Amino acid sequence: MVLKTFGWSFAVTALGLVAAVFYGGWTGLGVVAILSVLEISLSFDNAVVNAGILKKMNAFWQRIFLTIGVLIAVFGMRLVFPVVIVAISAQLGPIEAVDLALTDKDRYEQLVTDAHPAIAAFGGMFLLMIFLDFIFEDRDIKWLGWLERPLAKLGKVDMLSVCIALIVLLGTAMTFATHAHLHAGPADKAETVLLSGIGGLITYMVVGGLSGYFENKLEEEEEREHEAEEEAARTGKKKAPIVLAGQAAFFMFLYLEVLDASFSFDGVIGAFAITNDIVLMALGLGIGAMYVRSLTVYLVREGTLDDYVYLEHGAHYAIGALAVILLITIQYEIHEFITGMVGVVLIGWSFWSSVRRNRALAAAEGKADSDDKTEVSSGV
């Protein structure tokens, strides 16, 4: 199972490390290895959220996500995206931007750094909306009940997530953006952050809204699904889950790709703290992206999210933390280790909470079975 799921990741790792040695020697090998670990640590929560969405899609669209989606993630976001940033921010043509990335690495790094506030605002707002919509939804299973119960009540207020996100964006533009490290004046910095943040918000509302619309169609099948469950119980056959297909799956796929792009922002920007060589950066982040995809598949096939019910909660709290960190980095520098560890700690905590919950349920069931046997043996 492990080899089947992670086989391509192992192969890409081997090829990537060999290419790194040929391109940059043993130093290049070390840089690529570090970048791979960085990408995996920063994107583990991405894999958990992806798995929660991917399991609702049919087999065809799951394969699309794992083929075309990988190409978009590895080559699009980890190789093309940094070049596009430079091309847009410096008003260069694509060929000029590529030439700059290969021949003038210091200038290339500076241009990407200058574009960071816009990137952070866009990605931060997109991820913040994901987090807010999650915590304001009333869920049957609650991890931090003392916090999630009152937030679920507040979530009944229409458009609350959007209002909070806009308030956060406005506060960010008025504080962090006025002191950001762009070469433009304070007014331009604030305008850049505002426009980029609104762009992230609109992107979430359009893509997420379409995905949610089609996903809600599943609710219309609840009655049929319930009938299928009853039929399966009578006949002893296993009921196949209802999954998304067609337009519904397409928009969910699109949502997944935008989500992955938002997660990759911090990895791409953080990679410049290690190297400004775009080739080594693409190799390292590409290897890490492959493992994130493989981990997503593993979580889906093993049904891990169903067994460890708080994992999805932990991943969304990690998303919220990452959104805040991205917005803070508009002015302040935060080490990638801290960013990665926040996600690891939250997901690890939610995993341990899930384990404890499963043990408590198993113990309760064992006690109930024991009591039933005692009653039967005593003739009650």
Side-chain angles (χ1 to χ4, degrees):
M1 177 63 183
V2 173
L3 184 60
K4 181 180 179 181
T5 304
F6 290 89
W8 279 106
S9 296
F10 295 152
V12 170
T13 300
L15 292 173
L17 293 178
V18 169
V21 172
F22 277 104
Y23 177 80
W26 295 110
T27 301
L29 175 67
V31 169
V32 169
I34 292 172
L35 286 173
S36 302
V37 174
L38 171 69
E39 177 69 10
I40 294 170
S41 64
L42 289 175
S43 300
F44 185 81
D45 46 355
N46 188 10
V48 176
V49 176
N50 283 354
I53 299 172
L54 192 64
K55 69 179 182 180
K56 302 174 184 177
M57 300 165 72
N58 65 11
F60 171 78
W61 281 101
Q62 287 184 5
R63 286 195 297 271
I64 292 294
F65 175 75
L66 298 173
T67 51
I68 297 176
V70 167
L71 294 177
I72 295 173
V74 175
F75 296 102
M77 288 308 303
R78 275 72 180 183
L79 179 60
V80 177
F81 175 65
V83 176
V84 171
I85 292 175
V86 171
I88 294 175
S89 61
Q91 298 182 347
L92 299 174
I95 297 177
E96 293 176 282
V98 172
D99 181 67
L100 183 66
L102 296 174
T103 60
D104 192 351
K105 298 173 183 176
D106 292 334
R107 174 62 177 161
Y108 173 78
E109 179 182 356
Q110 183 60 53
L111 288 173
V112 175
T113 302
D114 289 346
H116 174 68
I119 299 169
F122 182 96
M125 291 303 296
F126 187 90
L127 295 177
L128 182 61
M129 282 299 300
I130 293 173
F131 170 68
L132 291 175
D133 278 350
F134 181 85
I135 63 172
F136 285 137
E137 183 177 345
D138 190 6
R139 299 177 179 277
D140 295 332
I141 297 176
K142 295 178 174 59
W143 178 30
L144 305 178
W146 57 272
L147 176 64
E148 294 172 10
R149 274 189 289 270
L151 288 177
K153 292 179 180 179
L154 287 176
K156 296 178 181 179
V157 178
D158 290 339
M159 304 301 290
L160 180 62
S161 297
V162 176
C163 291
I164 292 177
L166 287 173
I167 291 171
V168 171
L169 177 60
L170 183 61
T172 300
M174 294 176 64
T175 53
F176 297 156
T178 55
H179 303 288
H181 47 271
L182 285 170
H183 297 316
D188 293 333
K189 300 169 190 174
E191 181 181 349
T192 298
V193 170
L194 278 173
L195 290 176
S196 300
I198 291 174
L201 181 61
I202 292 173
T203 301
Y204 172 82
M205 294 180 69
V206 172
V207 179
L210 288 172
S211 301
Y213 167 74
F214 286 107
E215 186 180 4
N216 286 339
K217 287 189 174 182
L218 288 177
E219 296 180 3
E220 299 174 2
E221 302 292 335
E222 284 183 354
E223 183 176 350
R224 182 169 65 85
E225 185 176 10
H226 180 67
E227 293 174 356
E229 287 177 349
E230 293 179 343
E231 179 65 22
R234 286 194 300 268
T235 60
K237 296 180 180 179
K238 186 177 181 181
K239 180 187 71 65
I242 295 176
V243 294
L244 294 170
Q247 286 183 319
F250 170 74
F251 282 108
M252 290 300 287
F253 169 77
L254 187 61
Y255 176 74
L256 274 174
E257 292 307 317
V258 177
L259 179 63
D260 180 76
S262 299
F263 271 104
S264 68
F265 289 155
D266 61 324
V268 172
I269 299 302
F272 282 100
I274 299 172
T275 181
N276 58 6
D277 191 309
I278 189 173
V279 176
L280 295 178
M281 189 182 302
L283 288 172
L285 297 181
I287 291 172
M290 284 297 299
Y291 279 98
V292 173
R293 280 299 193 278
S294 296
L295 185 59
T296 299
V297 176
Y298 179 83
L299 293 175
V300 172
R301 291 177 177 172
E302 291 294 304
T304 305
L305 297 185
D306 295 328
D307 295 334
Y308 303 97
V309 294
Y310 298 140
L311 267 182
E312 193 170 3
H313 293 72
H316 279 86
Y317 280 106
I319 288 175
L322 178 57
V324 172
I325 289 172
L326 277 173
L327 295 176
I328 293 176
T329 57
I330 291 175
Q331 179 181 355
Y332 300 104
E333 206 171 305
I334 298 179
H335 198 278
E336 291 73 31
F337 176 80
I338 297 176
T339 305
M341 283 306 297
V342 168
V344 170
V345 168
L346 286 169
I347 292 176
W349 181 17
S350 64
F351 175 78
W352 176 240
S353 297
S354 300
V355 171
R356 293 180 59 189
R357 174 183 181 273
N358 291 344
R359 288 177 179 175
L361 290 176
E365 290 177 1
K367 183 178 179 181
D369 291 341
S370 177
D371 291 343
D372 289 341
K373 289 179 181 179
T374 300
E375 289 178 0
V376 170
S377 62
S378 61
V380 177

